[in-house]
C-alpha cells in the first residue's frame, strides 16, 4: 500500500499562485473578488483519493451505497469489508444527497458517500441542481461532524455523463457560494482530487474565475524551504487543451453495471484503483 499523502503535502491555491503554477487567463473573467482566506482553504491535486490523509474523503457512490466500480470500488477495497457493513444499514441514498461513515482502513477518518446525478437521464437544470447538492451536502456533513478537511473526486463526469468542463464550473461556483455564506469557517481545506489528467487541466484553467489570486506586496519574495519542497513535487501547468481519454467500446460498456460510475482495475494485485473519475 502506498504511503498516505498528508495534508501539509497538498498545496493550497495561495501557494500555487505564488509559485506561478496556475494559468491566470480565467482571472480576467473572475466572478468574485479575491479572498485570501478562501484561497488558503482550496487545493487542486491529481492523484488517488484513497491515499489522502484528510479528515474525510467523498466517495462517488451509487444509490445502494454498497460499493461498485471505479473510485467507489477502490474506496471500498482500501477501507476493507467493514465499510460495506457500515453502509448496509443506511438504506441507500438518493442522487444529490450524501451519508457519512467511518473510514476504517483508509488514511481518512471518514467517508462521505455522495450519489451524483445520472446526467444522461436528466434535464441539464436538474442534473446541475443535484450535482451542486452533492458538494453542498458533503461540506455540510463535514462541518456537522466537526471535520476540518475534505477531499472530493470529480463526481458524475464519467459514465453518468456530466460534461467535465460544466461540472468544474458548477462545483467551483457552489463551493464559492458555500464559503462566502460563512458556513465553512471551521474547514481548513477543501481538496479537489482529480484522477484524470483532463479534469486536473480543466480545474487549473477555470479555478481563477471563482477563486482569483490575491496580489500583495512581497509576492516576489523567495519562497520558504517548505514551499520549495512542495513546488518540486508539483506538475507544470498545462499548456494544451485537455483531450478526452479513449472511449471504451459499446460492448465493454454493456458489461459494466449501470449503477457503477467507474471502472476498477487491479493494480499490483494489492487493491483496486480507479481508471477514471466518475
Amino acid at each position: 500500500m502506498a504511503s498516505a499523502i498528508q495534508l501539509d503535502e497538498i498545496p493550497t491555491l495561495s501557494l500555487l499562485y505564488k509559485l506561478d503554477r496556475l494559468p491566470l487567463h480565467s482571472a480576467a473573467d473572475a466572478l468574485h473578488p479575491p479572498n485570501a482566506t478562501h484561497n488558503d482553504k482550496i487545493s487542486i491535486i491529481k492523484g488517488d483519493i484513497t491515499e489522502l490523509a484528510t479528515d474525510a474523503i467523498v466517495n462517488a457512490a451509487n444509490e445502494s451505497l454498497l460499493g461498485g466500480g471505479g473510485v467507489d470500488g477502490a474506496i471500498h477495497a482500501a477501507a476493507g469489508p467493514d465499510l460495506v457493513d457500515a453502509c448496509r444499514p443506511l438504506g441507500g441514498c438518493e442522487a444529490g444527497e450524501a451519508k457519512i461513515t467511518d473510514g476504517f482502513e483508509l488514511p481518512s477518518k471518514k467517508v462521505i458517500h455522495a450519489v451524483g446525478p445520472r446526467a444522461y437521464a436528466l434535464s441539464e437544470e436538474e442534473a446541475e441542481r443535484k450535482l451542486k447538492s452533492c458538494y453542498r451536502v458533503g461540506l455540510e456533513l463535514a462541518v456537522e461532524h466537526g471535520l476540518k478537511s475534505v477531499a472530493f473526486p470529480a463526481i458524475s463526469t464519467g459514465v453518468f455523463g456530466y460534461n467535465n468542463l460544466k461540472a468544474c464550473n458548477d462545483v467551483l461556483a457552489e463551493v464559492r457560494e458555500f464559503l462566502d455564506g460563512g458556513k465553512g469557517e471551521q474547514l481548513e481545506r477543501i481538496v479537489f482530487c482529480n484522477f484524470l489528467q483532463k479534469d486536473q487541466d480543466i480545474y487549473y484553467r477555470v479555478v481563477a474565475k471563482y477563486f482569483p489570486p490575491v496580489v500583495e506586496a512581497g509576492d516576489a519574495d523567495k519562497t520558504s524551504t517548505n514551499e520549495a519542497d512542495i513546488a518540486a513535487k508539483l506538475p507544470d501547468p498545462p499548456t494544451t487543451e485537455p483531450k478526452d481519454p479513449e472511449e471504451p467500446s459499446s460492448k465493454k460498456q454493456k458489461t459494466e453495471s449501470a449503477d457503477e460510475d467507474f471502472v476498477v482495475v487491479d493494480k499490483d494485485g494489492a487493491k483496486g484503483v480507479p481508471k477514471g473519475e466518475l
Side-chain angles (χ1 to χ4, degrees):
M1 180 178 178
S3 59
I5 300 172
Q6 303 300 317
L7 195 61
D8 60 7
E9 298 178 81
I10 303 174
T12 63
L13 279 189
S14 297
L15 179 55
L16 290 173
Y17 283 135
K18 185 174 184 179
L19 299 174
D20 295 324
R21 293 285 178 162
L22 294 175
L24 297 179
H25 58 267
S26 62
D29 301 317
L31 301 175
H32 304 272
N35 187 305
T37 301
H38 290 357
N39 290 354
D40 286 341
K41 291 179 184 285
I42 301 294
S43 291
I44 303 170
I45 63 168
K46 180 178 180 295
D48 182 346
I49 199 169
T50 68
E51 297 176 359
L52 302 187
T54 47
D55 284 352
I57 61 172
V58 176
N59 180 21
N62 59 43
E63 291 87 343
S64 75
L65 301 185
L66 300 180
V71 163
D72 191 7
I75 288 174
H76 274 269
D82 288 338
L83 183 58
V84 72
D85 290 340
C87 288
R88 191 170 283 113
L90 298 179
C93 185
E94 296 183 0
E97 298 299 323
K99 297 184 178 182
I100 191 168
T101 66
D102 289 337
F104 299 102
E105 297 178 29
L106 288 161
S108 58
K109 299 174 184 176
K110 299 286 184 180
V111 177
I112 296 171
H113 307 266
V115 180
R118 299 173 188 272
Y120 58 77
L122 301 170
S123 68
E124 183 174 301
E125 293 77 11
E126 182 68 3
E128 177 180 324
R129 185 184 68 80
K130 289 181 180 294
L131 182 68
K132 288 183 173 182
S133 178
C134 283
Y135 286 80
R136 183 178 64 256
V137 174
L139 292 171
E140 289 172 346
L141 279 173
V143 171
E144 178 184 339
H145 287 264
L147 307 179
K148 295 184 181 299
S149 58
V150 57
F152 290 89
I155 298 173
S156 281
T157 57
V159 295
F160 277 17
Y162 210 108
N163 177 271
N164 302 69
L165 178 58
K166 177 170 172 49
C168 179
N169 278 278
D170 292 343
V171 166
L172 291 175
E174 184 66 23
V175 173
R176 176 72 196 224
E177 181 178 341
F178 183 86
L179 292 178
D180 281 349
K183 298 178 181 179
E185 290 184 0
Q186 80 175 44
L187 292 173
E188 296 177 359
R189 196 74 64 86
I190 301 169
V191 181
F192 299 108
C193 182
N194 300 301
F195 190 80
L196 292 181
Q197 184 63 49
K198 74 171 183 176
D199 287 315
Q200 180 77 350
D201 293 348
I202 289 171
Y203 267 87
Y204 267 33
R205 286 180 13 234
V206 173
V207 68
K209 185 176 177 182
Y210 298 92
F211 296 92
V214 176
V215 179
E216 298 177 350
D219 279 350
D221 291 346
K222 185 177 180 181
T223 62
S224 70
T225 301
N226 184 53
E227 290 173 344
D229 288 342
I230 295 176
K233 301 176 184 178
L234 301 178
D236 291 330
T239 57
T240 59
E241 293 293 315
K243 297 181 180 179
D244 289 338
E246 182 179 350
E247 294 293 333
S249 68
S250 58
K251 181 178 179 181
K252 180 178 179 182
Q253 289 180 355
K254 290 178 182 179
T255 67
E256 298 168 0
S257 167
D259 287 336
E260 294 178 356
D261 211 4
F262 292 85
V263 177
V264 161
V265 295
D266 187 13
K267 183 176 181 182
D268 300 327
K271 67 173 184 177
V273 296
K275 180 180 180 184
E277 297 273 14
L278 270 168

